[in-house]
Amino acid sequence: MKLLKSKYANIINNKWINSNSTFQVKNPLTNETLSIVSSCTKTQLKEAIKSSQNAFLKWKKLSIKKRSTYLINLFNLIKENTEDLAEIIVLEQGKPISEAIAEINYANAFITSAVNAGLQLKGEILYSHFENKQGHVYNEPYGVIGCITPWNFPAAMITRKIAPALITGNTVILKPSELTPLTALALGELAIKAGFPVGILNIVCGDALKISDMILAHNDIKKISFTGSTKTGKSLLDRSSTTITKLSLELGGHAPFIVFDDADIELAITAAIQSKFRNCGQTCICANRFYIQDNIYPAFIELLHTKIKELNLGNGLDNKTHLGPLINQNAIKKIEDQINDALEKGATLICGGKKYNHKKFPNAHFFEPTILTNCTATMKVFTEETFGPICAIKQFKTESGIINEANNSIYGLAAYAFTTNLKRTFNLSKELNYSIIGINDGTPSHTEIPFGGFNQSGMGKEGGSYALAEYTQQKYVSL
Ligand code: SIN
């Protein structure tokens, strides 16, 4: 382990900046402290913003080609350090090592994706309205962008934001989750090694509310890109009105997972396991509500149960582990509350339903993979984002009925449907009111797609060329 340190500070002006106030980062497997991190003070945050603003004035003048060289340097260093970074993810977040390695590769692919898209960035000339004038449209960077990232993907959600922000000429103040800042700081250290000019990427750690309040109030922060809960997204929206700080929000989801009786059941089960249990159910796009057509309802549940029995809970560093611990005790409480609510309202517990006590790791936040059947639309599992390994299942009869039911949600991020009927496939693609739809596909995300939700799942898109629109604003010049 080369990158993991027992003490960390903020990264401002390419230097480690300590403060007197610190917080602990815990390993969710052992509940032991992994590292102590300095909280960014008000003065340090002001300094960071000033440094990013100064850096912006120079960075925006560089050609995109020149900017891309720094990002490619970072890409190469991340590639060299994949295992080390993946191990930090496992230690602070808990996911299995194979998923952590996949995350580092995913994170790195956002860098090449942003570079490739950035090199294609163009402006426009408008000839339309006057014989003696020409209109030029420039795609300009905003300035300093505040990137606030979550704990469930401690690397990929960072590069998904900072790579397109930087390639388009913005500079970044990155605020990683206080639960998983170590991956961010390790990436920051690699960025310094990659020769990033001073101030283009400052990393500030500590209390999310305090830091977001300060960056929202600061006139030099022109935009905030946030990934996290819908509740926090709404609070950012409320608080952004004083400064009209622009926002990109990638928020919660509540994905319906619909299986029709003409589906390839084996395929649907494999996809259900991938979607539901990736990162132990702690992803915004994971299946949240299962709707199974009545003819295949018993068979689907039986097969799902058989597959779930094969899942191993354990140390993410062990190659045999499929499910690591949940992030913390609050995650366990939330799931227990949803299960109790479902059982009180008449759901049937097929398996799981409680915290798992691992003999070797008694302090870990494990939860047994759970199946609840006979669920109804009023249960919390069918209305609140779960973020845990729970399959809540309800049966349905007709296509039109299930489309209405699936669309009856405040969320609109991802939806899944399984069918071999082509006409139905097109109908579902048109009628499901979700921004990402997996038809016979449980893992629809990759770096180039427009990732971001409809409804209360957010605003704005991340990924590939779509992200460039988030980090540039149009300037019109009439000549
Ligand atoms: C998320 O859903 O939390 C992000 C996962 C992804 O990019 O696939």
Side-chain angles (χ1 to χ4, degrees), residues 106 110 150 152-153 156-157 160 227 250 278-279 282-286 387 413 444-446 451:
Y106 187 39
F110 279 116
N152 61 343
F153 290 88
M157 298 304 105
R160 175 135 92 182
T227 296
E250 201 273 276
R278 171 182 174 220
N279 203 9
Q282 301 171 112
T283 75
C284 318
I285 61 164
C286 71
F387 250 56
L413 185 55
S445 44
H446 66 79
F451 195 105

Side-chain angles (χ1 to χ4, degrees), residues 150-413:
W151 51 264
N152 61 343
F153 290 88
M157 298 304 105
I158 290 177
T159 52
R160 175 135 92 182
K161 294 185 190 307
I162 68 166
L166 291 172
I167 195 74
T168 44
N170 304 280
T171 55
V172 171
I173 300 279
L174 169 66
K175 156 68 182 84
S177 164
E178 51 275 48
L179 298 175
T180 57
L182 308 183
T183 310
L185 292 162
L187 289 173
E189 190 173 3
L190 294 181
I192 298 173
K193 274 202 188 134
F196 271 35
V198 165
I200 67 160
L201 174 65
N202 289 316
I203 306 183
V204 297
C205 300
D207 184 81
L209 191 62
K210 273 194 207 148
I211 292 180
S212 64
D213 261 347
M214 273 192 72
I215 61 178
L216 272 166
H218 202 295
N219 274 322
D220 282 342
I221 300 275
K222 302 298 182 203
K223 180 159 190 172
I224 290 181
S225 176
F226 167 74
T227 296
S229 71
T230 294
K231 188 170 164 228
T232 307
K234 287 181 184 180
S235 149
L236 286 170
L237 260 174
D238 283 345
R239 290 181 285 143
S240 65
S241 63
T242 328
T243 41
I244 318 274
T245 307
K246 312 286 181 292
L247 293 175
S248 269
L249 303 172
E250 201 273 276
L251 308 176
H254 204 280
F257 190 103
I258 309 165
V259 187
F260 289 90
D261 59 10
D262 60 22
D264 175 339
I265 301 283
E266 294 279 343
L267 177 84
I269 293 283
T270 305
I273 298 281
Q274 285 171 331
S275 172
K276 184 69 250 185
F277 296 106
R278 171 182 174 220
N279 203 9
C280 207
Q282 301 171 112
T283 75
C284 318
I285 61 164
C286 71
N288 216 112
R289 291 168 275 157
F290 287 82
Y291 296 103
I292 313 299
Q293 203 158 19
D294 42 11
N295 289 342
I296 54 163
Y297 185 70
F300 183 90
I301 292 164
E302 198 183 318
L303 208 53
L304 184 66
H305 191 188
T306 309
K307 289 285 176 202
I308 280 180
K309 281 191 224 152
E310 291 166 10
L311 299 176
N312 295 324
L313 281 77
N315 182 352
L317 292 175
D318 178 345
N319 279 325
K320 290 191 206 78
T321 294
H322 302 110
L323 298 182
L326 291 169
I327 189 72
N328 57 23
Q329 186 55 29
N330 286 343
I332 301 263
K333 269 201 208 138
K334 183 177 178 193
I335 296 173
E336 283 174 343
D337 174 56
Q338 289 193 1
I339 291 176
N340 290 338
D341 171 77
L343 294 176
E344 274 163 26
K345 291 178 180 156
T348 309
L349 183 68
I350 303 292
C351 62
K354 57 183 191 311
K355 201 174 165 188
Y356 174 68
N357 293 315
H358 199 294
K359 282 196 191 109
K360 235 168 136 187
F361 305 105
N363 297 321
H365 311 296
F366 285 115
F367 203 88
E368 291 181 356
T370 299
I371 301 181
L372 287 169
T373 58
N374 298 321
C375 292
T376 59
T378 59
M379 294 174 181
K380 287 184 183 174
V381 268
F382 262 53
T383 52
E384 287 180 3
E385 192 175 30
T386 299
F387 250 56
I390 317 294
C391 301
I393 312 184
K394 182 173 187 291
Q395 55 180 311
F396 74 93
K397 278 193 177 19
T398 64
E399 182 176 330
S400 58
I402 192 53
I403 290 173
N404 285 337
E405 211 170 326
N407 284 341
N408 187 14
S409 170
I410 59 162
Y411 297 103
L413 185 55

Side-chain angles (χ1 to χ4, degrees), residues 7-45:
K7 268 190 170 174
Y8 274 100
N10 301 282
I11 297 181
I12 301 171
N13 283 323
N14 283 2
K15 292 198 176 71
W16 295 104
I17 305 294
N18 284 296
S19 75
N20 291 332
S21 150
T22 58
F23 65 98
Q24 298 176 10
V25 179
K26 301 247 179 176
N27 181 341
L29 184 75
T30 57
N31 213 21
E32 282 165 4
T33 301
L34 275 173
S35 193
I36 310 274
V37 180
S38 283
S39 296
C40 187
T41 65
K42 264 189 172 181
T43 317
Q44 289 168 348
L45 186 55

